[in-house]
Amino acid sequence: MSGDDIIISAEAVIRLDDLTESFVRASGPGGQNVNKVATAVQLRFDAANAPGLSERVRARVIRLAGQRATKDGVVVIEADRFRTQERNRADARERLTALVARAAEPPPPPRKKTKPSKGAVERRLKEKAGRSTVKKLRGRVGDDG
């Protein structure tokens, strides 16, 4: 591990040599700058083969990435919000870090099943009986003539 690695947790470390950056032309407003300079960043992170991720985190990163992950488990993040390469590069790395951090969170505790209280069951059944009576009274009026 080099000193520049991004440490997220004990089971999630992004090594900088696992990242591949390529610069492409951004779309959208920006005038001539957009046509001349490749400021948008395509950050590729091979999550499937990253040694800094545990199996649990690796699987969650790929699942959370959704369409940003390829079939081979490479997460591709495109950043073109800003007009400079450096800000887009930092933005892409921040978004990748946030994704991996979300994947490294511990799973939520299991749900504890609970029973409704006796009083709640009684109130529900009483309410049901009341609704039933109201609906029965809505029927046709018979001829007692």
Side-chain angles (χ1 to χ4, degrees):
M1 268 199 299
S2 69
D4 295 337
D5 293 344
I6 303 168
I7 300 170
I8 295 163
S9 72
E11 22 175 24
V13 176
I14 300 173
R15 295 178 33 198
L16 293 185
D17 41 324
D18 292 339
L19 301 178
T20 309
E21 292 174 337
S22 57
F23 298 97
V24 292
R25 288 191 180 148
S27 62
Q32 277 188 334
N33 194 52
V34 163
N35 301 328
K36 289 179 171 180
V37 186
T39 55
V41 178
Q42 261 190 357
L43 180 69
R44 292 176 174 276
F45 175 61
D46 190 359
N49 300 316
L53 302 180
S54 69
E55 279 303 315
R56 181 184 72 84
V57 174
R58 179 174 294 134
R60 286 203 56 193
V61 164
I62 294 170
R63 192 163 33 90
L64 287 174
Q67 287 190 327
R68 291 177 294 182
T70 64
K71 291 177 186 170
D72 302 328
V74 177
V75 178
V76 180
I77 294 181
E78 292 187 12
D80 62 354
R81 291 185 204 170
F82 302 105
R83 290 184 61 167
T84 64
Q85 262 187 11
E86 273 311 307
R87 290 200 42 205
N88 281 330
R89 173 188 265 171
D91 182 42
R93 287 184 181 192
E94 284 170 19
R95 285 168 40 198
L96 176 66
T97 304
L99 176 73
V100 175
R102 210 168 125 220
E105 289 174 356
R111 181 180 166 275
K112 291 180 183 172
K113 295 179 184 175
T114 59
K115 278 187 177 177
S117 65
K118 258 187 182 173
V121 172
E122 271 179 35
R123 285 191 298 274
R124 183 179 64 85
L125 293 175
K126 189 175 176 187
E127 177 84 20
K128 245 179 125 161
R131 280 195 305 271
S132 173
T133 307
V134 166
K135 287 185 177 189
K136 280 180 187 161
L137 292 174
R138 286 185 194 154
R140 289 186 182 238
V141 179
D143 287 334
D144 292 336

